[in-house]
Amino acid sequence: MPNAIVKYVRMVDAVNRRVGRFAMYLVFVMMGVLVYSAISRTFFDLPLIWVVEIAQMTMAAYYLLGGGYSMQLGAHVRMDLLYGRWSPKRRAFTDSITSLVLLFYVLTLLYGGVSSTQYALEYGQKNYSVWAPPMAPIKIVMTLGILLMVLQVIATFFKDLAAARGKPLS
Amino acid sequence: MSYEIIALMMFSLMMLMLLSGQRVFGAIGFVAAVFSLMLWGEGGVEMPFSAAFKLFNWYPLLTLPLFIYMGYMLSESKIADDLYRAFHVWFGPLQGGLAVGTIGLMVIISAMNGLSVAGMAIGASIALPEMLRRGYDKIMITGVIQAGSSLGILVPPSVVLVLYGMIARQPVGQLWLAGVVPGLMLAGLFMLYIVVRCRIQPELGPPLPLEERQMPMREKLRLLSAGILPLVIFLSMTGLFVMGVTSLVESSAVGAVAATLAALIKGRLNREVMENTLRKSLGVSCMFMWIILAALSFGAVFDGLGAVKAIESLFIERWGLGPWGVLIMMQLSYLLMGTFLDDTAMLVIVAPLYVPLVISLGFDPIWYGVLYTITCQIAYMTPPFGYNLFLMKAMAPKEVTLVDIYRSIVPFVGVMLFGLVLVMAFPQIALWLPGVIYGN
């Protein structure tokens, strides 16, 4: 593999690892916000109008920013009826094709994300609710998560290709 | 091209992609993206991302990562060990008693968590090695753990019923209560099967040797105190929710906090436990969320094709089925698809097609939710595609092979089908408890 590709794979892995390990802690934000809201309403009779949306936004950030890292962790299930019986080399070869197929899907996600974010920025879109927060910030975060996923899928493709040629990266 | 042919092509292409070893979310998402592009051109490009916003607005789905976190906190911190010991000592003397006790343990874990992951992890890491060491038949106990942990999605809290509630627009509180009696009934049937089987073939589950269970009564009673913790977690979570103190999503957050505090108080919360819990929670949550994201866009394409009408006319007009015929057909088709395709995705894709039909035929949607969940449990266990099978293979000791795992589920799937028929024939099994509590 050319040097530039090796460097790219290393960089994407490192960035997604960092971002993913940050996203990992967002589960505490969800817990904190929700328990705070329950306490505030039950004991102080103060319902909070922003809780649902903050929790929703945290959730969206959690799984989209965590996407790339979850690919690295190999967390996504596959059906291994045939796959499980193949030799490592055959698996790597098939993987390099399935990664390209996957790339198509995440690219359409990215396209939709960018256009939806542009719309939110242009028209100052607000969520349809009492609190009515602007939607652009969370859309930017979501699209960023998808972009990182795209980069990770490309890196995965290079890794699979290298393994299929018998010279695994890393 | 007729819409039926397009729908058939979508399913076949997805199947083909899955066979290639594609990641499940990739297979479903790719088919959805390609077909929405082909059918609606430029307007279809944005469909995959629109699904992200549908998901955004599915607020109750926040229970998913919180239950996953909680499940890993309970299994990684090993606070369930004490509970296992209690069952071990109290049920040990019985033939097959450890297996019966394991089902009991699974019911309690199910009452603390809304997924089967926690039960599976605890069962495979604590109960399985212990039973293997005592000469229990490995095929039987592998089945015990898979069947037992599958109760996690039927006994409240349950994430599958939350998903169903969102799709069918039914109150989650009632759905959860409807799952209680069928869940306990299934657990009872599992235990009955184990006891009878071990009566006939005593070598499958030898009783615990005398020296291991001889301890003073006071010690035995002290072990029962291990049950306090699950009770506290259950009451603070499902209890507060059913009483209307906390909302659904808040209650899952309370549960997650309670599990963390429990681990802290027991002195089991260290860096390693925290790191493993957080990392595994992120991985499993991402797996589920990306699958649901992809399945939602797949479902949107289906919706655009008018699939609900097509299925209705197929079942009622073309095949001339009565209401019960349709219902049985739906369960059978779901079981069949659940065997080969991803079960969570099936729920997101198929439930919106079936639920309106169920309601228009005059069936109770709460009751159908329970049927759906039991069918889901079976689908989770049946090869070649089932989460419980994957998890079991990943977590079980080396001597348990894939063939063992496949063979182990057969009798339990039989028991579950029997349970499914019982709930179908006697809807009161599901509807009695919500009727008593909510008075309808």
Side-chain angles (χ1 to χ4, degrees):
Chain A
M1 285 278 153
N3 214 1
I5 291 179
V6 178
K7 260 195 189 143
Y8 166 84
V9 170
R10 253 186 228 145
M11 200 179 71
V12 170
D13 273 359
V15 169
N16 264 323
R17 197 182 129 81
R18 292 244 169 97
V19 174
R21 293 199 55 89
F22 160 77
M24 202 166 92
Y25 290 95
L26 289 177
V27 74
F28 288 136
V29 176
M30 289 186 246
M31 276 156 65
V33 167
L34 290 164
V35 171
Y36 177 62
S37 128
I39 292 173
S40 162
R41 194 188 52 245
T42 317
F43 296 107
F44 304 104
D45 205 22
L46 282 173
L48 306 169
I49 53 164
W50 46 266
V51 167
V52 171
E53 283 147 299
I54 288 288
Q56 283 173 322
M57 290 173 182
T58 315
M59 168 77 156
Y62 180 67
Y63 81 93
L64 288 170
L65 290 178
Y69 187 46
S70 73
M71 285 284 287
Q72 285 180 29
L73 294 174
H76 295 279
V77 286
R78 316 157 176 259
M79 184 157 117
D80 54 2
L81 186 64
L82 304 175
Y83 187 81
R85 293 176 197 170
W86 293 340
S87 67
K89 195 149 185 183
R90 178 150 184 205
R91 261 187 233 175
F93 175 72
T94 322
D95 280 344
S96 58
I97 298 167
T98 48
S99 299
L100 286 179
V101 172
L102 184 58
L103 185 62
F104 178 81
Y105 171 55
V106 287
L107 278 174
T108 53
L109 271 178
L110 183 64
Y111 180 91
V114 169
S115 106
S116 178
T117 308
Q118 268 172 351
Y119 173 87
L121 283 171
E122 218 165 295
Y123 296 93
Q125 187 194 10
K126 291 201 162 102
N127 205 20
Y128 195 70
S129 68
V130 185
W131 183 40
M135 290 306 280
I138 186 60
K139 284 193 174 178
I140 292 172
V141 172
M142 288 167 78
T143 310
L144 185 72
I146 294 169
L147 175 67
L148 286 170
M149 187 66 155
V150 169
L151 297 178
Q152 187 67 49
V153 171
I154 297 171
T156 309
F157 165 71
F158 286 133
K159 284 189 222 173
D160 295 334
L161 195 66
R165 294 171 65 198
K167 292 173 197 146
L169 295 177
S170 80
Chain B
M1 212 184 318
S2 83
Y3 285 165
E4 280 98 339
I5 302 273
I6 297 177
L8 205 64
M9 276 170 59
M10 285 176 73
F11 267 106
S12 332
L13 186 61
M14 173 161 76
M15 194 64 218
L16 200 72
M17 300 254 113
L18 285 172
L19 279 177
S20 76
Q22 173 69 285
R23 293 163 189 85
V24 172
F25 82 94
I28 300 170
F30 175 76
V31 175
V34 166
F35 276 82
S36 58
L37 207 66
M38 276 180 3
L39 289 166
W40 295 289
E42 205 166 331
V45 192
E46 302 191 6
M47 270 176 98
F49 186 75
S50 327
F53 266 86
K54 185 155 187 206
L55 198 57
F56 186 87
N57 288 319
W58 272 13
Y59 180 54
L61 210 58
L62 258 111
T63 51
L64 185 77
L66 294 167
F67 278 135
I68 291 172
Y69 167 88
M70 184 186 174
Y72 275 118
M73 182 51 80
L74 291 173
S75 62
E76 291 292 324
S77 67
K78 310 230 182 300
I79 41 180
D81 285 20
D82 306 344
L83 205 60
Y84 176 74
R85 268 182 58 73
F87 275 104
H88 191 111
V89 170
W90 280 87
F91 284 91
L94 194 70
Q95 235 156 43
L98 295 186
V100 173
T102 302
I103 298 281
L105 176 71
M106 292 299 160
V107 172
I108 290 186
I109 292 165
S110 302
M112 291 194 286
N113 202 256
L115 287 156
S116 52
V117 183
M120 186 68 84
I122 292 167
S125 65
I126 308 172
L128 194 62
E130 285 282 321
M131 287 193 282
L132 280 175
R133 207 152 57 79
R134 289 182 171 74
Y136 271 62
D137 180 59
K138 71 176 170 177
I139 293 181
M140 184 181 76
I141 57 179
T142 310
V144 164
I145 285 162
Q146 296 205 67
S149 63
S150 79
L151 294 172
I153 58 173
L154 185 57
V155 174
S158 155
V159 171
V160 170
L161 283 172
V162 169
L163 254 176
Y164 176 86
M166 279 188 296
I167 293 166
R169 293 173 202 281
Q170 297 299 319
V172 173
Q174 296 215 14
L175 285 166
W176 279 8
L177 286 174
V180 174
V181 179
L184 295 178
M185 182 189 80
L186 277 181
L189 289 173
F190 292 152
M191 289 181 181
L192 192 69
Y193 163 76
I194 297 165
V195 170
V196 170
R197 182 93 194 269
C198 289
R199 197 50 67 77
I200 301 168
Q201 292 168 281
E203 70 277 9
L204 293 185
L208 212 56
L210 203 59
E211 59 269 28
E212 265 198 77
R213 55 191 156 93
Q214 230 168 17
M215 55 166 74
M217 199 57 194
R218 186 193 294 183
E219 184 74 1
K220 270 189 162 182
L221 286 174
R222 201 190 55 79
L223 273 176
L224 280 186
S225 69
I228 296 172
L229 173 75
L231 196 67
V232 169
I233 291 182
F234 179 76
L235 286 179
S236 68
M237 194 166 58
T238 310
L240 288 181
F241 168 61
V242 172
M243 287 190 305
V245 178
T246 49
S247 73
L248 170 69
V249 176
E250 283 167 7
S251 71
S252 65
V254 170
V257 172
T260 315
L261 286 179
L264 186 71
I265 291 166
K266 289 225 160 194
R268 305 271 174 83
L269 192 65
N270 55 35
R271 252 192 115 81
E272 197 197 338
V273 167
M274 203 70 234
E275 157 71 24
N276 285 341
T277 303
L278 285 173
R279 200 187 54 244
K280 290 180 183 178
S281 301
L282 181 81
V284 174
S285 301
C286 282
M287 177 196 84
F288 278 120
M289 294 305 289
W290 282 85
I291 289 177
I292 295 171
L293 177 69
L296 277 173
S297 40
F298 193 99
V301 177
F302 248 52
D303 205 35
L305 291 173
V308 180
K309 279 269 162 295
I311 288 185
E312 196 176 337
S313 75
L314 176 74
F315 281 164
I316 296 174
E317 281 152 32
R318 230 183 286 171
W319 290 358
L321 296 173
W324 278 94
V326 174
L327 192 82
I328 291 169
M329 209 52 219
M330 287 195 286
Q331 296 311 101
L332 282 181
S333 61
Y334 190 78
L335 276 175
L336 195 72
M337 285 192 282
T339 312
F340 289 101
L341 301 172
D342 175 76
D343 311 307
T344 309
M346 280 296 102
L347 186 67
V348 176
I349 296 167
V350 180
L353 307 179
Y354 284 179
V355 174
L357 194 53
V358 167
I359 296 174
S360 76
L361 289 171
F363 290 113
D364 189 318
I366 302 281
W367 167 71
Y368 187 67
V370 173
L371 293 186
Y372 211 103
T373 309
I374 299 177
T375 318
C376 237
Q377 277 180 274
I378 299 173
Y380 276 137
M381 283 172 57
T382 40
F385 202 103
Y387 285 115
N388 285 16
L389 296 170
F390 291 145
L391 289 169
M392 194 71 201
K393 202 172 73 177
M395 292 171 180
K398 287 278 169 291
E399 61 213 274
V400 178
T401 65
L402 196 60
V403 180
D404 292 338
I405 296 175
Y406 282 5
R407 278 174 57 195
S408 70
I409 60 147
V410 176
F412 291 96
V413 167
V415 171
M416 287 159 98
L417 285 174
F418 177 66
L420 183 66
V421 171
L422 277 184
V423 180
M424 277 172 106
F426 306 102
Q428 280 308 312
I429 298 175
L431 296 176
W432 171 75
L433 191 63
V436 169
I437 306 262
Y438 288 98
N440 51 349

